[in-house]
Amino acid sequence: TPCVTGNDGLRMNAQQPESTMTKTLKIEANKAGKRHALVADGATFTVYAECANYVRGQTLKTWRYVQKGLDLATAQALFAARVAGSVK
């Protein structure tokens, strides 16, 4: 999937064209240290999770969507549930 950089500089993997305007509303980490972002994608909202993968001798961090195309209330509830997650 292509990487999309929003107007706030947050890079995310997405299935959308780069011309789509995104705005990060919040970035928070849960107790385990996993970071999540709540992003406005035009009229809808998306929740992203930061993922770290070891590739060719280095750790690459990317943002992958958890769920997209949500209304604000649903996105905020999902974001809050993800951030409130516990340590495994």
Side-chain angles (χ1 to χ4, degrees):
T1 59
C3 282
V4 175
T5 303
N7 55 359
D8 52 7
L10 183 63
R11 291 187 50 164
M12 293 176 220
N13 289 331
Q15 301 288 339
Q16 56 198 11
E18 291 188 26
S19 62
T20 302
M21 296 299 290
T22 60
K23 172 117 178 100
T24 303
L25 304 176
K26 288 185 203 175
I27 297 177
E28 292 183 18
N30 62 14
K31 293 175 187 174
K34 180 137 179 125
R35 294 185 344 150
H36 292 82
L38 176 61
V39 177
D41 292 324
T44 62
F45 297 86
T46 304
V47 177
Y48 287 91
E50 185 180 46
C51 298
N53 296 303
Y54 187 77
V55 178
R56 296 186 190 132
Q58 61 183 338
T59 301
L60 299 177
K61 291 190 177 185
T62 56
W63 289 90
R64 298 183 183 157
Y65 73 87
V66 175
Q67 198 165 358
K68 60 184 178 178
L70 304 171
D71 59 66
L72 180 59
T74 307
Q76 286 177 331
L78 178 61
F79 179 78
R82 288 294 192 142
V83 171
S86 61
V87 178
K88 290 183 179 179

